[in-house]
Amino acid sequence: MELTRNRGGKISTGRKRVTEVQETLATQGEWVAHVRRIRDAQDQSAFAELFRHFAPRVKAFLIRSGSDAAMAEECAQEVMATLWHKAHLFDPARASVATWVFTIARNKRIDYLRKQRRPEPEDLYWGPEAEPEQADVISLQQETEQLRSALKVLPKAQRELIEKAYFGDLSHREIAAETGLPLGTIKSRIRLALDRLRHAMK
């Protein structure tokens, strides 16, 4: 499997960035549990975590869809309020929490446009990606585990720099400033680490 560094500074598997894969697999269950805690116990800490994660993403989605910042901010607040009050309507068998949240956002935007008597956009930009096929999820899980194992056997000095560069999203210069290592040393270690990872992931 080919490993590259994309524009966002993450390791890419060629289909999805590893960090995105890990987030999809690791946090979907957490978000479902959070919604259930809100539904069953009006858990404010669970809501706060969902709010911190989704509210800025919903706002950005609405701005990309053509909303001004003020409307996007107001709508994002309404979306999260809907999540709080209607958590009992969420069905994890039908959609992920992200899909549910962005569906609410899309509907809120359409309602707003109707109230403003503006033409509804024919092709409204959709927020989250489509849910992956089960076979793809299993394959991505395996690849993620393979990468995790490969990272563990790297020399500590190389592994720490890979984590800072690809998972911490730091530039080489930022790593140099943080660690005090020469820029050439950082580049050399990262290059050696990537060679090891490519070999392990074949």
Side-chain angles (χ1 to χ4, degrees):
M1 180 178 60
E2 183 67 19
L3 287 171
T4 59
R5 178 169 178 163
N6 59 26
R7 195 169 67 180
K10 307 293 191 299
I11 293 179
S12 172
T13 63
R15 281 184 292 172
K16 282 190 175 183
R17 290 180 302 180
V18 168
T19 48
E20 290 176 341
V21 173
Q22 290 173 328
E23 181 175 351
T24 298
L25 298 175
T27 62
Q28 277 185 0
E30 294 178 9
W31 295 146
V32 170
H34 280 34
V35 174
R36 286 174 174 162
R37 283 161 57 193
I38 293 170
R39 178 195 67 190
D40 297 336
Q42 291 76 54
D43 191 312
Q44 294 185 6
S45 64
F47 178 73
E49 288 189 34
L50 286 167
F51 191 97
R52 280 194 296 269
H53 180 81
F54 285 107
R57 288 165 171 79
V58 168
K59 180 179 177 180
F61 155 63
L62 293 169
I63 290 174
R64 288 197 301 271
S65 301
S67 303
D68 60 57
M71 193 281 269
E73 176 72 27
E74 180 181 350
C75 193
Q77 298 280 340
E78 291 181 8
V79 169
M80 301 312 295
T82 299
L83 184 152
W84 172 262
H85 292 294
K86 297 188 177 181
H88 62 284
L89 297 179
F90 172 65
D91 181 358
R94 297 181 60 187
S96 68
V97 173
T99 299
W100 184 54
V101 168
F102 280 95
T103 298
I104 295 171
R106 182 180 186 276
N107 291 337
K108 290 287 184 185
R109 172 167 164 75
I110 290 174
D111 288 344
Y112 180 86
L113 291 172
R114 284 174 177 161
K115 289 177 182 178
Q116 298 297 315
R117 295 183 179 179
R118 298 177 185 173
E120 294 179 21
E122 294 182 2
D123 296 313
L124 188 62
Y125 174 85
W126 184 232
E129 295 180 1
E131 294 296 303
E133 296 292 333
Q134 185 63 27
D136 290 336
V137 171
I138 293 173
S139 176
L140 291 170
Q141 284 176 321
Q142 293 172 341
E143 290 173 358
T144 302
E145 286 302 318
Q146 189 181 5
L147 177 60
R148 188 178 290 119
S149 298
L151 283 168
K152 286 181 180 179
V153 299
L154 284 176
K156 182 180 179 182
Q158 294 178 11
R159 184 177 67 252
E160 289 178 349
L161 293 182
I162 284 289
E163 289 173 348
K164 290 178 184 296
Y166 291 93
F167 300 110
D169 203 16
L170 297 178
S171 69
H172 290 170
R173 292 189 182 279
E174 288 171 332
I175 295 172
E178 182 177 306
T179 63
L181 292 171
L183 197 58
T185 300
I186 292 169
K187 291 181 178 179
S188 176
R189 288 182 183 176
I190 288 177
R191 184 166 56 251
L192 289 172
L194 287 176
D195 287 341
R196 287 173 178 263
L197 290 175
R198 290 190 185 99
H199 180 75
M201 299 293 286
K202 288 181 179 178

